[in-house]
Amino acid sequence: MSGQWNGWSGTAPRRKACSFNGNWQMTDHWKLGFGFRWSTEEKDVNWLLDGRNSGIFFIGSTGADPLNPSPLVNDRTDNFFAPAVSLTYALSNSSNLYVRYAAGYKSGGFNLDYINADELAANQGLEFNKETVDSFELGLKGVYLGGRLSLNLAAFIANYDDYQVNQFVDLGGGRTSIRINNAAKVETRGFEAETIFRITENFTLQASLGLLDAKFDSFPGGGTAGADVSGNELPNAPELTYTAGAIWTHPLPALSSSLLVRGDVTHVSDFYTTADNATTTPYNSAYPGAIPFGKLNARTELNARIGLM
């Protein structure tokens, strides 16, 4: 059994963390890993926004009196205890099965941008909360055929609280803002696979596959005009991605180099770009109607290269 303790440390005076990691080789096949990390992060803001001359942009002004702006002074502290535990079973000297649980977080902060006056009045502190996640993973890692074939497989579930969403917000009257909001709950689950097969010393195949189901479990008020987008898919989260590639090299002793030839194919399925999961938006002109908006179609790309290395 072994372990390691790391005391208080940090890259900045206002960020501190302590951690412990250890493992217990229970039998020749079974190993238990465990640990934790305790983090505390403090943020201060002293910020002046003067929107008195913003005209149609309707930018707000910080302070109690919009006609006489004064600095916004605020602070916040995020504390988080993140445990982790794993159990590994060695199938052989070069492959193992594992199951793992871990918690994590992303600190909160302040939306310091050109804030609409109504938005500033509704959230005078301009804060967004920290995001936390509980993740569960079941997987296989192995190397086979004398090291020529490597294979990694993983199924996962990750449940988020106060998930941070960077989004355009419709403020009405043709005005929008860009800010970070917290979705109450997000659930994701999926499967990932990666493999590398070195067929010969000079020819290698690579491939990966990703399957993802990611939804807002609860996000009241997160859509346009405060719509409830609970149950909607996460933006920029395609359900299917895959890549495949081949690499061939050939020594060129006369040039002290090798010839490289490589080809790749990548595929990304369609996905939404907003929490509303919209596919069209009104087009206000002399000929009103709707235009495609909010969803990117699936795409497949082919790439090839040749060179010396």
Side-chain angles (χ1 to χ4, degrees), residues 289-309:
I291 57 175
F293 171 83
K295 189 174 186 180
L296 294 182
N297 294 329
R299 68 181 186 272
T300 303
E301 299 178 355
L302 296 174
N303 298 281
R305 69 176 66 176
I306 184 171
L308 293 176
M309 63 178 186

Side-chain angles (χ1 to χ4, degrees), residues 2-251:
S2 62
Q4 181 176 353
W5 165 267
N6 296 312
W8 288 105
S9 64
T11 59
R14 304 185 68 81
R15 183 183 296 118
K16 296 181 180 180
C18 62
S19 61
F20 172 80
N21 292 284
N23 61 77
W24 176 25
Q25 189 71 48
M26 298 183 293
T27 70
D28 289 342
H29 291 279
W30 291 99
K31 182 169 72 172
L32 177 68
F34 48 86
F36 71 85
R37 181 180 178 87
W38 169 259
S39 304
T40 181
E41 186 168 339
E42 300 175 357
K43 293 182 179 179
D44 297 335
V45 59
N46 188 327
W47 183 64
L48 176 66
L49 180 63
D50 185 348
R52 290 175 294 180
N53 297 317
S54 60
I56 62 173
F57 296 103
F58 199 48
I59 294 173
S61 296
T62 52
D65 182 6
L67 300 179
N68 185 26
S70 57
L72 166 70
V73 179
N74 200 356
D75 65 83
R76 60 174 291 114
T77 300
D78 289 318
N79 299 311
F80 192 74
F81 176 76
V85 60
S86 64
L87 184 63
T88 303
Y89 179 77
L91 298 170
S92 67
N93 290 333
S94 59
S95 66
N96 61 73
L97 292 168
Y98 69 91
V99 60
R100 183 175 187 267
Y101 161 78
Y105 89 109
K106 184 190 297 183
S107 64
F110 303 94
N111 283 304
L112 303 181
D113 209 329
Y114 295 105
I115 305 299
N116 174 275
D118 294 336
E119 187 177 2
L120 182 59
N123 181 10
Q124 294 183 8
L126 299 179
E127 292 186 64
F128 57 91
N129 293 326
K130 73 173 181 282
E131 168 190 312
T132 62
V133 59
D134 292 299
S135 64
F136 306 85
E137 186 175 341
L138 173 66
L140 166 72
K141 293 181 180 290
V143 179
Y144 310 96
L145 302 179
R148 292 167 51 203
L149 175 65
S150 64
L151 180 64
N152 297 325
L153 305 175
F156 65 88
I157 295 174
N159 297 324
Y160 296 83
D161 288 327
D162 290 324
Y163 182 83
Q164 294 174 5
V165 186
N166 196 349
Q167 61 182 158
F168 284 96
V169 179
D170 187 344
L171 299 171
R175 297 186 299 269
T176 62
S177 73
I178 303 175
R179 69 172 182 246
I180 297 176
N181 284 331
N182 290 101
K185 291 184 181 297
V186 163
E187 293 184 352
T188 68
R189 62 195 66 202
F191 174 79
E192 295 177 344
E194 296 179 345
T195 185
I196 300 175
F197 186 18
R198 299 173 180 85
I199 297 177
T200 69
E201 184 178 350
N202 302 106
F203 186 51
T204 301
L205 298 177
Q206 299 177 338
S208 66
L209 171 70
L211 304 175
L212 178 64
D213 178 21
K215 289 183 170 62
F216 292 109
D217 185 55
S218 176
F219 197 5
T224 299
D228 186 351
V229 294
S230 302
N232 283 9
E233 296 182 19
L234 259 65
N236 307 310
E239 294 183 353
L240 169 66
T241 59
Y242 65 76
T243 66
I247 304 170
W248 179 73
T249 61
H250 181 70

